[in-house]
Amino acid sequence: MILVFGGTTEGRKAAAVLEEAGTPYYYSTKTGEQDIALHHGVRIDGALDAKGMRAFCLEHDIRLMVDAAHPFAVILHQTIGQVADSLQLPVVRYERIYPPRDPSITWISDYSEVPRDIHTLLATTGVQSIARLKPLEQEGIQVYYRILQRASSLVLAQKQGARREQLCYYDQPHDIPVNADAILLKESGLSGGFNEKVEAARRRGMRVIVIKRPALSSFFTHCITVDGPYGLRRTIEKLLPVFYPLKSGLTTGTCATAAAIAATRRLMKGETAEKVPVVLPNGETILVPVGYGDGYAYCIKEAGDDPDVTNGLEIRASVERSDSLTIDGGEGVGRFTLPGFDYPPGEAAINKGPREMMRQNIKESVRIVISVPQGAETAKRTFNPRLGIEGGISIIGVSGIVKPFSEEAFVESIRKCMQVAKASGADCVVLNSGAKSERFLRQRYADLPQQAFVQYGNFIGETLRMAAGLGVKNVVLGVMMGKAVKLAEGQLDTHSKRGTMNPDFIRRMLDEAHCHCDISDITLARELWDKVPEEQTEAVCRVVIRHCLEHCLPLVPEARLTLLLIADDGTIHSL
């Protein structure tokens, strides 16, 4: 079992990561005032001292603690560290992402260091800091306190001696209601709106004074620090493997970036670390294992439990000094031969996301060449031949992380196919669910190029929206009976986990077609082809198609949509 200490933005994010597992866990807050919905988490409210925390961990078989509390919650961090050490429990610290410290800001380590050469001060450091700032008032400085607009904060502020006229409330970082010489902030990180608060204060001509965040490393003997959701999930997967039923992985883009970072560090600094930090597109940093060969560094593609033919491939990067940062592909990395991608034909099939990751992570002027020794053979089992990418695999990845059976990755592959189909110049784009339906449709549209046929899997609605967004004017949608009866009822995503065949709705469609046949024993929709009398097949198909079109036509309002119902034997029915 996992115990999360939250009550913060990071706590909310940590809970979201744990919810993905569908496994029970505990979520602890001090006040119980955070609005958060938990489906698998059990919420516990109220401060825990060391004795209470230790007892809770023993009683509930806690195996891992996630400290996602506020960085300035020093007593809580100390308590977590003390209990973790006594019970030999691992701790994952979910830290915030902090911008570099601006030297034009006045940085202090304690409230006593607030400069005295000011007349008025707006303190946004929380209600608990009021008592510690009272000495400033005794020295003639007018202090205003920004607190949260809730009854408990008001009561606590007044207990610490704050007068009502000293209190102010505001939710947005850029909305500062008080004119003061200076503003006092905590180093709260990006999620705490730190940059926005600084900019808002500067626009008002206020001096910015910031209390540095405490060094949390001194509180924990054994602690792993992460600063984002992907790092948290991957760390939990390693520390508590049973928590997630399926493991996440890394995209080829992240692997290529890690290899490029390692190769660059070896070239420039002589470093050969076993892991390198990689900043992902969402801004968080994860550590990625790497290795080294003769003139290159490499990273092994890790797909987790996602069914990916690239799993286990060695992604290599070689670098050499250059006048600027350039990125190219070598052996086993495909080349674009058709328009419709982020880069023109002839360019290496390294997508925009991975290129931007490399530029974000590598500031040196080097020429990077990414290669995949087994890429050419592996590419034959991917979408690449259909997309007109020749010679190897693509280096891809939007988030940098692959979640098991990643719908995001599959939808992104559909998007690429749609872009290529549009760029092929074909009269229409033919959408189909898979290899079988595509084979039948190819016979009907034999004059269209291969790129005009796009497989949607289960994502019918999403694919149609892509067609509309790309301005495709002529769309053919081929559907087999199993997906058609779901689509007819309005299920635009036909995956079995989203919805199942509805016999009652099928009966209503049969009645509408004046077809009276017994379907009480059917378990699969394709059995309708045998159940419906041959002379009534066309009438039933027309009803099914009309219902499907009711839900599909609004998604492509500017396009001509032809919907074809495909039988198991390849017979195609239309209106």
Side-chain angles (χ1 to χ4, degrees):
M1 191 72 80
I2 296 176
L3 173 59
V4 180
F5 294 93
T8 57
T9 300
E10 286 68 37
R12 191 186 300 276
K13 292 178 180 178
V17 173
L18 270 62
E19 288 286 334
E20 294 173 355
T23 304
Y25 64 95
Y26 292 99
Y27 185 87
S28 171
T29 64
K30 180 180 178 180
T31 65
E33 294 178 309
Q34 185 183 33
D35 182 17
I36 181 172
L38 304 176
H39 299 288
H40 303 287
V42 178
R43 183 163 181 164
I44 57 173
D45 298 321
L48 290 172
D49 58 15
K51 181 179 179 181
M53 189 182 298
R54 192 176 193 279
F56 184 90
C57 290
L58 290 172
E59 179 182 353
H60 297 280
D61 193 27
I62 300 301
R63 302 294 181 87
L64 171 67
M65 293 199 284
V66 177
D67 180 3
H70 195 282
F72 283 80
V74 173
I75 294 176
L76 176 57
H77 300 312
Q78 290 174 332
T79 304
I80 294 172
Q82 177 184 342
V83 173
D85 284 349
S86 69
L87 297 178
Q88 295 296 295
L89 293 177
V91 177
V92 182
R93 168 60 188 165
Y94 196 134
E95 188 56 281
R96 301 183 175 189
I97 298 174
Y98 297 94
R101 286 177 177 168
D102 185 343
S104 67
I105 290 174
T106 301
W107 296 91
I108 61 176
S109 300
D110 187 80
Y111 293 96
S112 63
E113 299 176 9
V114 173
R116 268 40 176 194
D117 58 345
I118 54 176
H119 299 290
T120 54
L121 176 70
L122 170 60
T124 68
T125 47
V127 68
Q128 298 285 0
S129 67
I130 292 176
R132 303 182 67 178
L133 292 170
K134 277 305 201 178
L136 297 179
E137 297 182 42
Q138 297 170 4
E139 296 181 35
I141 298 175
Q142 176 65 51
V143 183
Y144 299 94
Y145 302 101
R146 181 263 185 176
I147 65 172
L148 297 177
Q149 195 166 10
R150 58 193 187 195
S152 59
S153 296
L154 177 60
V155 170
L156 186 55
Q158 292 178 327
K159 281 185 178 179
Q160 295 189 65
R163 304 182 304 278
R164 279 189 174 270
E165 59 268 24
Q166 288 182 278
L167 303 178
C168 60
Y169 316 91
Y170 61 97
D171 295 326
Q172 300 302 320
H174 54 74
D175 183 19
I176 298 179
V178 174
N179 287 317
D181 297 336
I183 188 170
L184 178 64
L185 307 173
K186 286 180 176 177
E187 189 180 10
S188 56
L190 297 183
S191 65
F194 181 78
N195 286 345
E196 293 83 353
K197 293 173 184 176
V198 170
E199 290 305 312
R202 282 175 169 165
R203 283 194 296 270
R204 284 178 168 259
M206 301 168 72
R207 180 179 178 181
V208 179
I209 306 167
V210 179
I211 298 180
K212 300 175 185 176
R213 66 186 186 275
L216 300 186
S217 58
S218 61
F219 303 147
F220 306 104
T221 303
H222 302 289
C223 177
I224 296 176
T225 299
V226 301
D227 61 2
Y230 298 129
L232 177 60
R233 172 162 179 159
R234 287 176 61 77
T235 301
I236 293 174
E237 288 172 352
K238 289 180 174 62
L239 295 176
L240 201 63
V242 298
F243 188 77
Y244 286 97
L246 297 172
K247 304 300 182 290
S248 63
L250 302 175
T251 64
T252 50
T254 296
C255 295
T257 301
I261 293 170
T264 302
R265 289 188 169 195
R266 182 166 72 169
L267 174 68
M268 296 297 189
K269 303 177 182 179
E271 297 178 356
T272 54
E274 295 181 355
K275 294 182 180 181
V276 294
V278 177
V279 180
L280 298 177
N282 70 347
E284 72 172 287
T285 302
I286 63 171
L287 290 175
V288 179
V290 292
Y292 303 88
D294 185 11
Y296 63 89
Y298 66 87
C299 178
I300 302 299
K301 173 65 166 71
E302 174 195 342
D305 285 322
D306 194 58
D308 189 339
V309 297
T310 66
N311 185 48
L313 289 183
E314 185 175 281
I315 313 288
R316 295 180 178 179
S318 58
V319 300
E320 60 184 19
R321 297 178 189 273
S322 178
D323 294 333
S324 61
L325 177 63
T326 61
I327 302 166
D328 201 355
E331 175 193 4
V333 174
R335 294 271 166 183
F336 299 125
T337 64
L338 297 173
F341 292 93
D342 295 327
Y343 301 96
E347 283 284 330
I350 303 174
N351 287 3
K352 184 177 180 180
R355 289 178 189 251
E356 291 182 347
M357 280 181 65
M358 292 183 214
R359 294 190 179 99
Q360 182 182 13
N361 282 273
I362 299 171
K363 302 305 180 184
E364 292 84 354
S365 294
V366 292
R367 179 175 184 266
I368 302 169
V369 177
I370 303 299
S371 60
V372 185
Q374 295 177 298
E377 183 62 30
T378 303
K380 297 175 183 177
R381 293 178 283 151
T382 70
F383 277 123
N384 279 13
R386 176 187 301 273
L387 294 171
I389 299 174
E390 298 179 356
I393 67 168
S394 302
I395 305 300
I396 62 175
V398 176
S399 66
I401 297 294
V402 176
K403 291 185 178 180
F405 302 97
S406 171
E407 293 182 357
E408 176 189 2
F410 189 81
V411 169
E412 186 61 24
S413 71
I414 297 174
R415 191 180 309 281
K416 290 299 181 186
C417 289
M418 287 293 299
Q419 291 169 345
V420 171
K422 174 70 185 307
S424 72
D427 293 336
C428 69
V429 174
V430 182
L431 309 180
N432 55 90
S433 60
K436 184 177 181 178
S437 60
E438 182 173 318
R439 184 172 71 253
F440 297 140
L441 290 169
R442 278 182 180 278
Q443 296 171 6
R444 188 182 182 99
Y445 295 94
D447 294 336
L448 291 177
Q450 176 181 348
Q451 289 72 32
F453 295 84
V454 176
Q455 295 182 6
Y456 56 73
N458 291 298
F459 300 100
I460 297 175
E462 188 68 28
T463 306
L464 288 172
R465 293 186 186 96
M466 291 178 195
L470 291 169
V472 177
K473 296 300 183 184
N474 194 353
V475 179
V476 174
L477 176 62
V479 190
M480 300 192 78
M481 187 63 82
K483 297 184 186 300
V485 296
K486 294 181 181 180
L487 180 61
E489 196 178 7
Q491 298 180 39
L492 294 170
D493 179 345
T494 57
H495 196 287
S496 59
K497 70 181 181 182
R498 306 282 197 277
T500 58
M501 176 189 69
N502 183 350
D504 290 336
F505 181 74
I506 294 175
R507 290 189 186 93
R508 289 199 294 272
M509 288 194 292
L510 292 173
D511 289 342
E512 188 177 338
H514 305 291
C515 175
H516 305 289
C517 62
D518 183 13
I519 63 167
S520 60
D521 61 343
I522 69 168
T523 57
L524 298 173
R526 66 168 178 259
E527 295 175 46
L528 286 170
W529 295 115
D530 298 323
K531 293 287 186 180
V532 174
E534 184 176 350
E535 65 274 13
Q536 294 182 306
T537 297
E538 284 301 324
V540 171
C541 288
R542 284 194 294 271
V543 170
V544 173
I545 291 171
R546 281 199 297 269
H547 279 281
C548 290
L549 286 172
E550 287 176 9
H551 303 290
C552 294
L553 284 171
L555 304 181
V556 284
E558 304 299 324
R560 177 173 177 248
L561 176 62
T562 302
L563 198 145
L564 304 176
L565 182 58
I566 307 170
D568 288 349
D569 63 0
T571 303
I572 295 178
H573 302 267
S574 61
L575 289 181

